[in-house]
Amino acid sequence: MSRPILPGATVGVLGSGQLGRMFALAARRMGYRVHTFSPGDDTPMGQVADREAVGDYADLDAVAEFASRVDVVTFEFENVPFEAARTASEHVPVRPRGEVLHTAQHRQREKDFLHGAGFPTAPFEHVPDRATLDAALERLGTPAVLKTAGFGYDGKGQAVIHAPEQAEEAWQSIGAGEAVLEGFVEFEREISVVAARGCDGEFAHYGVTENRHRDHILDVSIPDPDIDPKITANAVEIARGVLEALDVVGVLCVEFFLTHDGELVVNELAPRPHNSGHFSFDACVTSQFEQQLRAVCALPLGDTRRLRPSAMVNLLGDLWENGMPDWRAALADPSLKLHLYGKADARPGRKMGHMTAFGDDGEDAARRVIAAREALTRRP
């Protein structure tokens, strides 16, 4: 059994965005020190960490120096180069393992893993270059979705191909690099399961969350949607299988398409806390961020039960287009919880924060939190 890393120790995080910020808040509440390493300064996580180390992930000497000053390393997004995780592991435990990062940060490796392990996926083809795209389209048919093999998020690096003559335009739009072509899935809704696995194999999950997107960016998340309990149980079981097959220690999110006939198709994996699990910060006994800390520090996992029905909305930079949002108007709803990430530059499409509201059930909470967001930009 792994030695517990107890409060008072220092946890290092590769990455410094809003996920790291919320992780650091949870860790400091439990008495840990937190260091972050990333190329930026005055970052969302750096603002609340004990130490903000600034360096390039490719600078392995700097990564090694960072790791030598902490007791365990985790990461808060999957686009950290595998070599950085491997270098850190020469000094301290890295959880989840760098190999998990290596699999999840590249769509072809991720698809190959899922398919090889027997998990349900859309049909897919590897497209290493432009010359292979036309033949892949012939095999899969249209519509199909062309996605960059690596470093894509929030719908970036994706293009839907409705007819073969659109292949060239799609190829150029994603950057003309290595890609994966996936068969288009007609789905009823998108759902996710955020789950955790401890050093001893202990498993905990946050049930199913329904995710509604706008312009390929998560817009609203509603935990515990009204779907067949058998589908919920199946989604959780697939998530457990993924964490076990990858030997994950930490938090991982499995994103699914739910088809009209009740079948689940795994869309993507995220080997860290996930936007769709942000409700847990306010609505659960143990948040996904505290759960990540517990897992990577070899502590028992926490209770994931809901305190109240809730829903979450993202706050994008578009809300700042005509000036500062009216926070007072939104907070007029006493059930509302506001989280801002400390980002100074409010660009369109950039995640600046989120809000969670409580209600009689998930849909009631969703109505309340959407109304609060609309109040942010309602001008007299």
Side-chain angles (χ1 to χ4, degrees), residues 22-77:
M22 288 180 273
F23 173 83
L25 292 171
R28 295 188 71 171
R29 185 175 63 187
M30 288 183 62
Y32 288 86
R33 293 186 177 276
V34 186
H35 293 185
T36 177
F37 182 95
S38 79
D41 63 354
D42 192 32
T43 59
M45 184 179 178
Q47 292 167 9
V48 299
D50 293 279
R51 177 176 180 245
E52 182 177 41
V54 179
D56 193 291
Y57 297 122
D59 185 348
L60 300 184
D61 289 337
V63 172
E65 192 276 336
F66 172 78
S68 71
R69 299 176 62 168
V70 302
D71 297 291
V72 64
V73 165
T74 188
F75 42 85
E76 62 101 44
F77 80 139

Side-chain angles (χ1 to χ4, degrees), residues 216-360:
H216 303 290
I217 300 174
L218 180 60
D219 187 50
V220 182
S221 285
I222 306 174
D224 309 315
D226 184 19
I227 61 176
D228 188 332
K230 292 181 181 178
I231 294 173
T232 295
N234 189 23
V236 169
E237 197 55 35
I238 290 172
R240 180 196 288 267
V242 168
L243 270 75
E244 290 178 349
L246 284 171
D247 191 24
V248 170
V249 174
V251 169
L252 182 142
C253 176
V254 183
E255 300 178 54
F256 297 91
F257 296 128
L258 175 61
T259 69
H260 294 280
D261 57 2
E263 296 298 317
L264 290 169
V265 176
V266 177
N267 179 29
E268 290 184 346
L269 307 179
R272 36 74 178 173
H274 190 260
N275 198 174
S276 67
H278 285 357
F279 73 91
S280 66
F281 202 100
D282 302 303
C284 294
V285 175
T286 306
S287 75
Q288 63 172 342
F289 304 101
E290 181 182 329
Q291 203 75 287
Q292 181 187 21
L293 176 74
R294 285 170 172 259
V296 304
C297 290
L299 299 176
L301 300 184
D303 190 340
T304 61
R305 282 180 297 176
R306 316 295 193 250
L307 301 174
R308 286 184 64 190
S310 66
M312 181 220 73
V313 297
N314 274 326
L315 304 176
L316 303 185
D318 311 63
L319 292 168
W320 278 253
E321 183 178 6
N322 295 315
M324 183 65 69
D326 188 349
W327 304 117
R328 182 178 177 84
L331 292 169
D333 183 341
S335 79
L336 196 83
K337 305 289 283 188
L338 172 65
H339 297 262
L340 293 175
Y341 304 148
K343 299 178 181 180
D345 185 12
R347 300 189 301 269
R350 191 184 194 196
K351 292 175 182 174
M352 301 295 292
H354 72 269
M355 297 191 298
T356 301
F358 302 100
D360 296 331

Side-chain angles (χ1 to χ4, degrees), residues 131-197:
T132 58
L133 177 55
D134 293 333
L137 276 169
E138 282 188 25
R139 288 189 291 269
L140 287 186
T142 55
V145 185
L146 186 66
K147 301 180 179 181
T148 55
F151 302 99
Y153 63 98
D154 287 344
K156 295 178 175 65
Q158 299 188 23
V160 179
I161 301 174
H162 295 282
E165 54 268 24
Q166 296 175 344
E168 177 63 23
E169 180 183 356
W171 177 254
Q172 295 300 327
S173 74
I174 68 161
E178 183 183 10
V180 173
L181 185 72
E182 297 179 12
F184 191 83
V185 177
E186 293 284 354
F187 58 88
E188 174 192 317
R189 64 180 95 183
E190 295 180 74
I191 63 174
S192 60
V193 174
V194 174
R197 185 169 178 267

